[in-house]
Amino acid sequence: MMDSGSWELVLPASCDGLPAAAEGSSCCGKATCPSASYKLTSHRRDAERPDLGEIPYLGGSCTVLDGFDSVGLPGAEPLPDVPVRVIVDHSIHFFKTASAQAIFGISPGDPTGGPNKVLSAMGVERFTVCLDQSGEAGAIWLNDSPKASADKASWKEVRSTMRQYWGTWTSDWQLAGAGAAVPLGCIEDDCGVIIDTGTPLINLPQAMYDTMEKHIHGRGVADCSDLSKFPTLRFTIGDQALELSPEAYVADGGERQPGTSLLVAGLQFPAMPMSSEDHMLWKSGKPFRQCVLLFEHYGEDAQMWGYGPLVTLGLLSLRDYRVQFDLGARKMRFGEAAADCSQPQNRSRLERPTGARRLQAVVPHKLAPSLLARAGGKVLAAWAA
């Protein structure tokens, strides 16, 4: 998982071929890390930190071995002595349910203000993330940059002012659609916003979530057959105006079995039937297709020190943009994405899909919530860089 909310390479260690006594001290057992595949045969322990250490996560903690290993990308020679942290035990639900082999931290730095250790060791100065408009694929480019002046002009550039996250101030959130725009929040006072690739969801402060829910229900939306009934989210990040179309937060949740609640674990917004036909199937107790709105909130608002209430924009919400993260300049750049995530400088124009766009398909019970959102009312320290 490429996680913009962390700054290290963290891997669960497999116990395959090791004695049972190694579990919890030298490796992570099947019950705790069912998908672990990393073998310790190439791991070189850190002489300065030879003992087991703890990584505090907002969702729990990990017991880790610090060390180094060779790390490479497909088609490139492995780089030696890249720092890695190997999980031998943990209390994090994510590693027990997800198939992740590693968390690759791509945040700009650590809490002390130091650089991202893994990206620095691999010589990565910037990277760009894009989601295919089909909702089924995507791309990450390493060390790319907008070269042509025309391409530079197509980016909306924002300075990332947080020390350990890709984030800054956000304001003027509105719901746009038919009629006048409706204020959503962060109007008189700015909020903090973090681009969090570690979750697919959008986390809104409680008051903003309540306004969003009331607005959608007030428009009589009963299914997802007509996305024009859903509002477009408009807001500013730094001094740049951005917007998210309904396709950025409405997803295809697949088939739902009869006799079940429309509530989905991890999502506060209840699912809806995909169409009027699906609504009739649901009412008659038959299997139906559902759509889900990719919003979350967790009671007390998460507060970012120096920024106020926190908004997190998860990966799926960035479907309309390619987002470049520049470590050296500490800047985020938002540009229009080609439909298939091809590099725009290789095209005469950006090819956007025509007609109705396909909704992104998701597995609702696998939508990992934001660890930052789960912090609830805790104040998170993220001083300006």
Side-chain angles (χ1 to χ4, degrees):
M1 183 175 69
M2 307 292 282
D3 180 21
S4 60
S6 60
W7 52 90
E8 297 172 300
L9 180 58
V10 181
L11 311 109
S14 170
C15 289
D16 290 348
L18 298 177
E23 183 175 329
S25 59
S26 298
C27 65
C28 194
K30 283 290 184 183
T32 310
C33 302
S35 299
S37 63
Y38 177 73
K39 303 294 178 59
L40 293 167
T41 52
S42 58
H43 182 263
R44 180 169 59 82
R45 297 281 291 272
D46 187 340
E48 296 183 2
R49 294 190 292 182
D51 300 323
L52 295 174
E54 292 288 329
I55 304 178
Y57 279 107
L58 295 175
S61 63
C62 291
T63 303
V64 299
L65 295 172
D66 289 301
F68 304 90
D69 207 336
S70 296
V71 177
L73 297 171
E77 288 293 322
L79 297 168
D81 296 328
V82 174
V84 297
R85 310 196 85 173
V86 179
I87 298 174
V88 298
D89 197 7
H90 68 86
S91 60
I92 299 175
H93 182 68
F94 170 78
F95 277 117
K96 296 180 180 180
T97 57
S99 58
Q101 301 295 313
I103 295 180
F104 194 115
I106 54 177
S107 78
D110 63 26
T112 68
N116 182 299
K117 296 181 177 65
V118 179
L119 293 176
S120 297
M122 298 180 70
V124 175
E125 297 179 357
R126 61 193 161 271
F127 53 93
T128 300
V129 178
C130 176
L131 291 180
D132 192 302
Q133 294 298 317
S134 69
E136 298 178 353
I140 294 180
W141 299 291
L142 302 180
N143 284 336
D144 65 322
S145 62
K147 296 179 180 179
S149 57
D151 192 36
K152 285 184 179 180
S154 70
W155 295 93
K156 293 187 175 184
E157 188 174 88
V158 177
R159 179 168 176 76
S160 179
T161 57
M162 295 180 183
R163 177 181 289 178
Q164 64 189 89
Y165 302 109
W166 291 106
T168 187
W169 288 275
T170 185
S171 62
D172 298 326
W173 280 69
Q174 299 178 358
L175 302 174
V182 175
L184 180 60
C186 304
I187 304 299
E188 296 180 358
D189 298 314
D190 290 348
C191 300
V193 62
I194 288 177
I195 308 301
D196 185 4
T197 64
T199 177
L201 306 175
I202 301 172
N203 182 74
L204 296 175
Q206 180 77 51
M208 293 174 64
Y209 171 85
D210 291 342
T211 300
M212 178 83 177
E213 183 178 39
K214 182 179 179 180
H215 179 80
I216 290 177
H217 289 316
R219 301 184 72 173
V221 178
D223 58 58
C224 297
S225 58
D226 184 0
L227 292 184
S228 67
K229 293 182 178 180
F230 291 87
T232 294
L233 299 177
R234 291 179 179 169
F235 51 92
T236 62
I237 294 182
D239 59 354
Q240 297 288 352
L242 301 175
E243 64 178 43
L244 300 178
S245 64
E247 291 91 344
Y249 65 81
V250 181
D252 182 346
E255 188 174 86
R256 191 74 175 265
Q257 294 304 309
T260 59
S261 167
L262 287 177
L263 295 175
V264 178
L267 295 176
Q268 278 66 40
F269 212 108
M272 290 187 285
M274 184 66 73
S275 65
S276 58
E277 289 80 6
D278 289 302
H279 195 277
M280 293 178 63
L281 290 172
W282 170 57
K283 287 291 187 180
S284 60
K286 298 178 180 179
F288 66 97
R289 198 161 193 85
Q290 67 179 349
C291 60
V292 294
L293 274 63
L294 303 175
F295 291 103
E296 61 171 346
H297 71 82
Y298 284 92
E300 292 182 80
D301 295 342
Q303 299 284 327
M304 183 65 68
W305 187 87
Y307 291 86
L310 180 65
V311 176
T312 58
L313 295 179
L315 186 60
L316 293 185
S317 69
L318 302 175
R319 188 184 186 192
D320 296 334
Y321 297 96
R322 52 193 168 105
V323 185
Q324 185 179 87
F325 301 88
D326 192 319
L327 290 118
R330 287 294 182 106
K331 290 182 178 179
M332 302 177 289
R333 301 183 181 99
F334 301 85
E336 186 178 8
D340 61 355
C341 280
S342 59
Q343 286 278 29
Q345 56 262 37
N346 296 333
R347 293 174 168 262
S348 59
R349 62 184 177 86
L350 290 174
E351 294 184 7
R352 306 297 294 172
T354 58
R357 294 166 62 188
R358 187 193 310 177
L359 289 179
Q360 300 171 93
V362 299
V363 180
H365 72 274
K366 291 186 177 181
L367 291 172
S370 168
L371 294 179
L372 293 168
R374 282 196 178 276
K378 297 178 182 178
V379 176
L380 306 177
W383 296 274

